[in-house]
Amino acid sequence: MTRRLLYALLLSLLLPIGVQAERPEDWFAVREIPDSIFARIKGKSYREGCRVPLDQLRYVTIAYCGPDGNAHRGELICNKYIADDLLDIFRKLYKAGYPIESVRLIDEFDADDIKSMQANNTSCFNYREIAGSRKLSNHALGMAIDINPLYNPYVITRGGKTTISPPEGAPYADREGDFDYKIDEDDLCYKLFKAHGFTWGGSWRQLKDYQHFEK
C-alpha cells in the first residue's frame, strides 16, 4: 500500500460517519481573481501601475506531491490563456508523483523573486521587469512559470563573469550531475510543458534559465 493510500484510509477512519473527505483531486480549479486573493496581491505582485487588467488573470489551485510524498494544496496566479494548460500539466505531474517542494503565491515572499527561488517555490505571475533590463518579464503577463527554481537556477555569463540566481543554486548550475528536482529534456515536467507549446529557458543560447517555462 502506498503512503498516499494509507493516508487516505486513516483519514477516512477518523472522519465521522457520513462526512465525505475532500480529495486532492478536487483541489484542481481555475477561477477569476476573488476579492480575497486580490487583497493579498495588491501592492505586491500586482504593483501600482500594473498594466495587466485583473480580468486577464486567473487564480489556479492544484494538488502537488511534496518532498514528504504527501499531497499538498498549491495556488498560482497566471494569465487566463495558460490556465487550462497549467491545470492539465499539474494534474498529470501529481498523478505521476512528480516532486515539487512548494507552490505558493510569490506575495508570501513580498513578491521578491530571489526569496521565492531560495525557498524552492514554484510561482507564476509577478509584475516585474527582466533582471538587468527595463523590459517586462513574461511573468508580468502571467505567461511564465518557474518550477523548483533553487535546483534549476538562472545562469548567465557576461564578460567572463557568471551570475547564478539564486546564488544558493550554484551547486546545481552544472547540469551534468544527478540530483533531486532536476529539469532536463528527459524530465516529465519538461515533456508536459513542451507538449502544451511552452518554451523552456534551459534551451536558450544566450543564457540558461532551467526553472523557466513560458508562452
Side-chain angles (χ1 to χ4, degrees):
M1 180 179 293
T2 66
R3 185 181 297 179
R4 189 180 299 161
L5 289 175
L6 180 60
Y7 172 77
L9 178 60
L10 290 173
L11 182 63
S12 67
L13 293 174
L14 292 172
L15 288 171
I17 295 175
V19 175
Q20 181 67 39
E22 185 181 31
R23 303 176 306 159
E25 290 80 0
D26 298 330
W27 298 345
F28 291 91
V30 175
R31 290 188 285 162
E32 294 186 358
I33 307 297
D35 291 342
S36 59
I37 298 301
F38 183 63
R40 290 169 58 191
I41 69 175
K42 184 179 179 182
K44 293 182 179 179
S45 65
Y46 201 90
R47 293 168 173 80
E48 184 177 351
C50 179
R51 301 195 302 272
V52 179
L54 199 61
D55 62 7
Q56 190 85 7
L57 302 175
R58 293 293 182 268
Y59 177 63
V60 180
T61 55
I62 64 164
Y64 66 95
C65 187
D68 58 2
N70 293 327
H72 296 263
R73 188 168 187 158
E75 53 182 355
L76 295 158
I77 291 176
C78 69
N79 195 291
K80 66 181 181 181
Y81 292 111
I82 67 168
D84 289 337
D85 289 319
L86 294 186
L87 208 64
D88 184 62
I89 289 167
F90 278 103
R91 184 180 282 115
K92 289 175 179 175
L93 290 175
Y94 172 70
K95 287 182 178 179
Y98 187 92
I100 300 175
E101 187 160 358
S102 171
V103 187
R104 298 156 61 191
L105 297 185
I106 201 166
D107 307 271
E108 294 189 23
F109 303 89
D110 295 319
D112 187 315
D113 195 45
I114 296 295
K115 290 180 181 178
S116 180
M117 289 191 291
Q118 288 170 334
N120 200 30
N121 181 59
T122 293
S123 66
C124 187
F125 172 74
N126 190 14
Y127 195 78
R128 62 174 176 81
E129 297 170 343
I130 296 172
S133 79
R134 293 187 176 181
K135 182 180 178 182
L136 282 179
S137 164
N138 262 349
H139 287 283
L141 307 177
M143 295 291 286
I145 185 168
D146 294 337
I147 307 288
N148 287 327
L150 176 61
Y151 297 88
N152 299 283
Y154 170 98
V155 183
I156 186 169
T157 300
R158 288 194 184 108
K161 180 182 178 182
T162 298
T163 299
I164 299 171
S165 187
E168 293 81 0
Y172 312 106
D174 179 2
R175 308 309 283 183
E176 296 301 318
D178 186 23
F179 46 85
D180 291 341
Y181 303 113
K182 178 184 175 183
I183 298 174
D184 59 22
E185 293 185 358
D186 294 323
D187 184 61
L188 175 62
C189 184
Y190 167 85
K191 292 177 180 179
L192 289 174
F193 274 99
K194 287 293 288 184
H196 279 264
F198 285 75
T199 298
W200 179 47
S203 64
W204 294 344
R205 292 185 179 181
Q206 303 275 329
L207 59 89
K208 299 295 183 182
D209 198 355
Y210 297 106
Q211 63 197 258
H212 183 96
F213 294 92
E214 70 176 33
K215 263 194 177 182

